[in-house]
Amino acid sequence: MKEIENSFSRRQFMKYLGAASVGAGAVYMVGCSSDNTTTDTGSDTGGGAGLADTITYAQGADPRSLDPAFFDDGESAKVACNIYEGLYQYGAKDTAVSPCLALEMPEISADGLTYIIKLRQGVKFHDGTDFTADAVKASWERQLAPNLTSDMPYATFVFGEEATGTGLKAIEVVDPYTVKLTLRAPSTPFLKNMAMTLAAPIVSPAALAANSGNIGEDPCGTGPYKFVSWIKGSNVKLEAFDGYWDAANAAKTKNVIFQVIPDNTARVTALANGEVDMIDGVDVSGAQQIVDKGMTLFAEDGMTINYMGFNTNGGTCTDRDVRRALAQAINVEELVSTLYGDYATPANSVMPLWMASYDKDVKPVSYDPNAAKATLADKQVTKLSCITYSNPRPYNTKGGQNLAETIQGYLSQVGVDLQITPYDWTTYKDRIQKDSFDICFYGWTGDNGDPDNFMNLFADSNWSMNVTRWNNADYKALVKEGVTTPEGSAREAVYLKCEQMVADQTPLLCISHSKNLCGVNPKVHDFYYHPTGSVFLHGVTKDA
């Protein structure tokens, strides 16, 4: 057995993650880089002597969509990051930013409001059309007001909102290979946002036109793999793109299959039997089975938060005292140890432990079942409704239903009956925006290594992102201040205030920060599970 462990301390890892410079770190992401430091185990696509022509990655649920404007989940992102590219990209193992479809880093005006970006020439979309500045405008402008629609969940998160005076105001085509971006206010995370797998990637304008503006089931990008087919509930198939612009980083394996296997145990069995080559959603028992069966266990500190959310917009949990009493009823340390063992850490904050703005002294509500019982009795709280997801998630490998049932046990001890309604992940993503509930379960895998990416969740107006539906003007003002403040101690102080406000107002109960766990067949080479949760497979090979 071989186990891959993180060689950095959390603080060292954060420093490595956050470095944003052109040459920072080797880049082994979706094509886009001339610097590839991974071992070259293949030659021609899928044709290297002794190499397989197909690799299969198993995950717990279907993608929601394969159009970057219309998804906000990891299952979609894992597939889409192999099809699409953005103007910028992250490093192979970090979130250092470097050019991708952009030719160079942006020219930013002194006031931070204007970005001039030169684009790479000679790039083709999978449909044979040219990548130009018009494609950037088409990909992003559809996600800005007044074109923005309610089913574009990540747009405000990546591009900001007119209502808050933040984000991208206008996109101008200067010439076929130059774009000018105008922001409403300076934005420290904006450069990192442009490298995200969600909302930011560039899509084919011709494909958009042919599909009424939504290519969720007919994706077309510039990445090293092109779309072949999607059988819902079964698999998504991709094939190496022969016309890929970056020959040095072209796909090394001809075919990639993303297999949907909802059950954790079934995925481990499929890995052990050689039916699939890599799996995620590994829980404690699955990790041991992977080890016992001679597979490789990938285990690194993740960029995640697993939490229980309270509906602050309606119902019983609009009362802060009720929320805090419910939080008091739950022994988080005991729960995390029982469910996740050594593969997760109890969370006192939304912020991952190794992020620069994380502070161990942020104190959430302490476990005190007697005080909880008294408050809940006084408030006459005896029954609560809960919705949750049934599938495993990167931040909660036991699945939302198991977590909800564990919480149900704690709440029963303080006189509260928690009624649980589980849904598969795709259905849950819709229900979380539309249903009435008191409690829900959710989590987050960071997209860009910036604290804004975590704390902004609870300032967003989209309930698909801000599932607690918390609307606090003071908190939103802090988040906006954090966006416009340059990197450094002053910015970290802003996010510490955000953490403290979340702890005090308790719109959610932080539960755990997880390790990223994957099972990998030892025949697979050069696979790395990126901290953003994206799964980049163009450099991965497998022995035949």
Side-chain angles (χ1 to χ4, degrees), residues 515-532:
K515 282 184 176 288
N516 286 338
L517 299 178
C518 285
V520 184
N521 188 314
K523 291 184 178 181
V524 170
H525 303 288
D526 296 328
F527 168 78
Y528 187 84
Y529 190 31
H530 198 264
T532 61

Side-chain angles (χ1 to χ4, degrees), residues 96-114:
V97 177
S98 62
C100 184
L101 293 178
L103 190 61
E104 56 195 23
M105 299 301 278
E107 178 187 329
I108 305 174
S109 62
D111 61 7
L113 299 180
T114 302

Side-chain angles (χ1 to χ4, degrees), residues 347-359:
N348 70 311
S349 167
V350 175
M351 206 80 77
L353 277 64
W354 41 260
M355 269 198 171
S357 6
Y358 166 80
D359 194 306

